[in-house]
Amino acid sequence: MIAPVYLLLGPETGEKQERIKAIRNQIAKENGTAPEFHHYYPTDDGWEEQLYQNLTTVGFFASWQLVILSQVESLGAKESKQLADFLKPLLAPKPAPYQATLILASDATYLKEGKILQTTIPKDLTIFFYEMFDDRKEEWVRNYFRRHGISITPDGISTLLDMVENNTSELKSASNQLIFFWQLEKRSTPVDGDAIETYMANTKEEDAFTLFPAIMERNLKGALRILQQIFAQGDSKTSFTLYSQLLFQFRKLLSVEEIYRQTHSESEAFQNAQVFGKKAGVFTLKEKATYRKALTNYSLDQARQVLSCMEEADIPLKGAGDMCMTVWEQLLATIILHNGKKVAEPVFITAASMA
């Protein structure tokens, strides 16, 4: 029987998505029709009112409501208690007669501010999704290709794991693309590392979340190449979106730096980072590697200077017009080469000049 609430914790998004799909299918099986679906984040305006309304009223198009609240690690203590108080009648021996299921999801494995939720929701409805160990990942990739009649070399597996986010969702997506390409080309040889590097380089889409690691590595050439691809594949809103996403990451970086320099604990810094008072933790292995590199390459004072540089770039970028790409290139050079500190005579560096 479907439960009124589930708490799904941990960074393994692929298996987590499979569990959500299974819950949705079970609701459809028990009710004879698919549930009405709603998905919210704590950063959404008015999410609380909409979430509680969805959970307490019958939907227009279905007899059951399935509501997901992601990133619950961002909830404060007050919001968590309010939600826990709402859930208690649903979890009672004679539950409130709502035709709804709530799924609370987080990449974290422990909710510091929301610990009341973990104590309120029964352990059998709390499910952890941990990232795979290296030996399990290798076996997963090998078996996945084998099931599609294609072999992959050990260096191919290693290359794929190095280039793809560490969860089954991303691994499955990248593997499916490679398998389709191999079948389309009617290749009979095993997939090796060189083939994967060539294919991934030609198909990978770049965004703020691939640009930020290059900046943290102080890899100007790589950062400019990624910037060029972002603008090549984007539209008129590209600069605005890129700026917003990067600014968020630099604010999170400053929080990580401040906590780390104060506590000398990497785990404390990663778990308790905040942006504007909202939890913005660092949970996945790939993200941890990026921020670990940042702690090595940028001091606390440099992180503050870089954030100040980013904030001051808002107006110049908005007014750059056709020179937007040039302004971005100079901004990246200022951050990577000069820690965000303006120089008297800036050197004009472009992706072409770094080729």
Side-chain angles (χ1 to χ4, degrees):
M1 184 175 178
I2 206 72
V5 61
Y6 296 88
L7 179 59
L8 309 184
L9 300 174
E12 216 308 299
T13 58
E15 292 183 2
K16 196 183 300 177
Q17 289 169 359
E18 289 298 320
R19 181 57 64 94
I20 292 173
K21 188 186 298 183
I23 293 171
R24 195 173 185 175
N25 291 340
Q26 183 65 24
I27 293 173
K29 181 179 179 181
E30 291 183 10
N31 291 274
T33 182
E36 192 170 307
F37 182 73
H38 308 274
H39 193 177
Y40 301 108
Y41 295 85
T43 53
D44 293 339
D45 292 335
W47 70 268
E48 291 173 279
E49 180 181 352
Q50 295 179 58
L51 180 141
Y52 291 124
Q53 182 177 349
N54 292 146
L55 292 173
T56 55
T57 58
V58 177
F60 289 108
F61 306 107
S63 61
W64 203 272
Q65 304 266 38
L66 176 60
V67 183
I68 298 178
L69 179 63
S70 293
Q71 299 177 356
V72 292
E73 75 279 357
S74 300
L75 295 177
K78 182 180 178 180
E79 294 169 316
S80 299
K81 185 180 185 307
Q82 181 180 352
L83 186 54
D85 290 342
F86 173 82
L87 293 175
K88 286 175 183 177
L90 300 181
L91 296 165
K94 292 184 178 180
Y98 300 141
Q99 293 175 288
T101 294
L102 173 64
I103 297 177
L104 303 175
S106 172
D107 287 343
T109 55
Y110 174 69
L111 306 177
K112 186 175 181 180
E113 295 293 327
K115 58 185 177 182
I116 189 172
L117 290 171
Q118 286 189 263
T119 57
T120 300
I121 298 172
K123 290 185 177 180
D124 63 322
L125 300 179
T126 301
I127 308 163
F128 292 89
F129 298 87
Y130 296 102
E131 290 180 329
M132 292 186 288
F133 291 113
D134 288 341
D135 57 345
R136 186 182 165 205
K137 286 186 290 184
E138 292 175 3
E139 181 182 1
W140 188 96
V141 172
R142 186 180 297 107
N143 290 338
Y144 194 81
F145 275 78
R146 184 180 295 145
R147 287 200 299 272
H148 290 82
I150 296 172
S151 60
I152 181 170
T153 64
D155 80 296
I157 295 174
S158 177
T159 301
L160 182 61
L161 294 176
D162 285 342
M163 299 183 73
V164 176
E165 185 75 34
N166 184 31
N167 63 69
T168 53
S169 176
E170 296 293 334
L171 279 175
K172 183 180 291 186
S173 176
S175 297
N176 284 338
Q177 293 176 38
L178 284 160
I179 289 167
F180 176 75
F181 175 72
W182 226 246
Q183 292 172 336
L184 189 66
E185 294 287 313
K186 297 181 179 179
R187 299 192 181 188
S188 58
T189 56
V191 179
D192 60 18
D194 289 341
I196 291 174
E197 283 190 0
T198 301
Y199 179 80
M200 297 290 281
N202 291 330
T203 59
K204 181 181 178 182
E205 287 197 359
E206 305 287 6
D207 57 21
F209 301 100
T210 59
L211 177 57
F212 184 71
I215 298 172
M216 294 303 97
E217 292 172 3
R218 291 191 181 276
N219 180 2
L220 180 57
K221 183 177 180 179
L224 292 174
R225 178 191 58 77
I226 293 170
L227 178 70
Q228 194 174 50
Q229 287 188 240
I230 290 173
F231 274 85
Q233 67 198 23
D235 54 28
S236 60
K237 297 181 181 178
T238 294
S239 182
F240 175 79
T241 302
L242 178 62
Y243 179 79
S244 298
Q245 292 174 340
L246 273 184
L247 187 61
F248 178 88
Q249 300 222 57
F250 279 114
R251 284 173 175 156
K252 181 158 76 170
L253 169 63
L254 181 57
S255 179
V256 169
E257 288 269 9
E258 289 175 337
I259 298 172
Y260 178 75
R261 306 304 173 186
Q262 181 180 2
T263 64
H264 303 289
S265 170
E266 189 180 89
S267 60
E268 281 282 320
F270 288 168
Q271 183 171 321
N272 297 319
Q274 296 186 358
V275 175
F276 291 132
K278 291 283 189 178
K279 292 292 284 295
V282 179
F283 300 113
T284 68
L285 290 178
K286 192 170 183 179
E287 194 178 19
K288 285 179 181 178
T290 295
Y291 281 87
R292 192 173 290 123
K293 179 67 70 174
L295 290 172
T296 300
N297 286 345
Y298 293 86
S299 69
L300 175 56
D301 287 341
Q302 289 170 344
R304 287 173 176 152
Q305 181 64 50
V306 166
L307 178 57
S308 177
C309 176
M310 279 293 298
E311 290 174 337
E312 291 174 4
D314 184 21
I315 294 176
L317 283 169
K318 286 179 178 177
D322 293 339
M323 296 295 291
C324 189
M325 181 72 168
T326 301
V327 175
W328 267 108
E329 289 172 336
Q330 295 312 305
L331 177 60
L332 294 185
T334 301
I335 291 172
I336 295 172
L337 299 181
H338 306 290
N339 305 311
K341 188 175 182 180
K342 295 178 181 178
V343 294
E345 296 182 5
V347 178
F348 286 89
I349 299 174
T350 66
S353 68
M354 293 289 291

